Amino acid sequence: MNLDQAYSPDAFRQQGHALIDLLADHLQRAQTGTQPTINYIEPDKALTYWQTDFEQPIQSDPLPLFTDMIERSIHVHNPRFMGHQIAPPLPLSALTGVLTGLLSQGMGVYEMGMTANALERIVTQWLAQKLNLGAEAGGLLTSGGTLANLTALLTARAIVGGTPDSDHNVWEDGTTNRLAIMVSGEAHYCVDRAARIMGLGSAGIIKIPVNERYQMRTELMDDYLEQAKADGLTVFAVVGSACSTSTGSYDDLTAIADFCTRHNLWFHADGAHGGVAALSDTYRHLVQGIDRADSVVIDFHKMMMIPALTTAVLYRRDADAYRTFQQRAQYLWTDADAKDWFNSGKRTFECTKLMMSAKIYAILHTYGERIFTEYIDTVYGLARRFAGQIRNRPTLELAIEPESNIVCFRHVGDGSDTPAYLNERNAQIRQKLLQDGRFYIVQTTLNGQLWLRVSLMNSFTTDAQLSELLDDITACI
Ligand SMILES: *Cc1c(COP(=O)(O)O)cnc(C)c1O
């Protein structure tokens, strides 16, 4: 095989048709749910398998390899997939991925992504308007919620993290204050990680306890702020979870917004999973107050059916985004200070970046925004009915009534077992389900107790399949 052959349009055409046929067959099979969701293999065995494969002579036909990769992956389109929060991507968004893969627009500067940058502007402004962030709102796309939360907190620090009454600039001078953020004890670990990357250390992450519904106890915020000040810390931002990852609980965003207004702090809403409730007439009330956030993060690969990774960072004042990174890169931009939306690399952590905007734009262009509303209403509704099924089974216990499509529950038997035994039993149930492979669910720990955790990510999951899952779980014992 030489370069001419490797770049051959004819070979691309032929392999492309074959690949799409393969994927369409896979999709059809996965959606019927008749096959395992996961053929679980221990990590060492998987590595040995692929090492052996790697040592084989090269094969000119990639199709057997693709087939093998499909077989040896978890199948997110199977309606019995209900583990981590990855959406089964819309087939059209996957096809758009083939397109953007071949076009490979670098995006950081305008010429390297003329369409990519324009589409990014449109989809971020569209989503910002859906969240009611106001006329000046805008944002950017970046590679995942983790990086998105870091980006928003870096913006917050650049704007609010200076010394009051001075022109201290964190970008130029580094941090001299002992800075801190306030966040719920149930926030995603990436917020903690972002704070540590920013050099805030353990003291700089003030974790507010949660109530019995795993929501931040916002009535405690004043006390915690006083204590932080007494400890010599300068709090610059509060992060609200919309919703939290473990239990899918929504923090009281209005209370956080009021607090931030009162104390002149940056209000960041981590809506990576559940921010999209804003698109639904039925569930919008859950994110009441999100329109007052200074910044919001939303993952398209979780609740918007776009392949991983595709995340929006939205700002109430689009101009704020230019203050995050103040890089002078002469070979990229002639004017480092200009607020030019079309050079998206000025505002993103990435330099070269995937053309992720195309996947979102293609969906909006082809199906309209109602596809998102329909999805949210379906999976959130499913979770509420599933909670009802759990309540009706005396040997099962529901952690809390679900607010989103995340449901935590556990097997408690007749209620006479010790907490340690219950933890062990539920861990065994989850392990058995994994080995069996028909259903894929995960687990989480709440207040030292182990719970089974389900994220209903597939709009084709039926009530009957959920009942079957509960049958399997009770039969495990
Ligand atoms: C998933 C999640 C994240 C992290 O997003 P990634 O895209 O996985 O990096 C952050 N916050 C919340 C609330 C999440 O659910």
Side-chain angles (χ1 to χ4, degrees), residues 86-107:
I86 287 284
L90 287 165
L92 181 62
S93 62
L95 287 178
T96 314
V98 176
L99 171 86
T100 58
L102 194 80
L103 292 180
S104 198
Q105 308 285 285
M107 279 211 68

Side-chain angles (χ1 to χ4, degrees), residues 47-64:
L47 186 60
T48 305
Y49 176 84
W50 286 110
Q51 259 163 350
T52 310
D53 181 76
F54 192 61
E55 285 154 15
Q56 302 305 307
I58 60 165
Q59 289 178 38
S60 58
D61 180 6
L63 260 286

Side-chain angles (χ1 to χ4, degrees), residues 85 143-147 149 187-188 190-191 241-245 270-274 297 299 301-302 309 311:
Q85 307 143 270
S143 308
T146 297
L147 195 53
N149 279 317
H188 192 273
C190 74
V191 175
S241 301
C243 49
S244 67
T245 306
D270 180 2
H273 182 90
V297 160
D299 271 346
H301 53 270
K302 283 187 178 158
L309 293 167
T311 303

Side-chain angles (χ1 to χ4, degrees), residues 364-381:
L364 287 168
H365 195 267
T366 313
Y367 303 138
E369 65 187 44
R370 279 203 37 205
I371 191 98
F372 296 119
T373 317
E374 192 183 331
Y375 173 77
I376 297 154
D377 288 350
T378 303
V379 294
Y380 273 40

Side-chain angles (χ1 to χ4, degrees), residues 33 80 386 389 393 433 438-439 462-475:
R80 288 187 175 82
F386 183 45
Q389 289 194 27
R393 299 211 184 203
L433 290 172
R438 234 154 46 93
F439 285 97
T462 63
D463 296 298
Q465 284 163 336
L466 290 170
S467 173
E468 209 181 295
L469 168 68
L470 297 183
D471 289 345
D472 279 12
I473 286 171
T474 5

Side-chain angles (χ1 to χ4, degrees), residues 32 107 186 189 256 266 270 291 314 320 332 361 397 407 427:
T32 61
M107 279 211 68
E186 281 294 319
Y189 77 86
I256 298 175
W266 185 277
D270 180 2
D291 53 318
L314 305 167
D320 286 351
L332 294 178
Y361 191 86
E397 182 187 9
V407 186

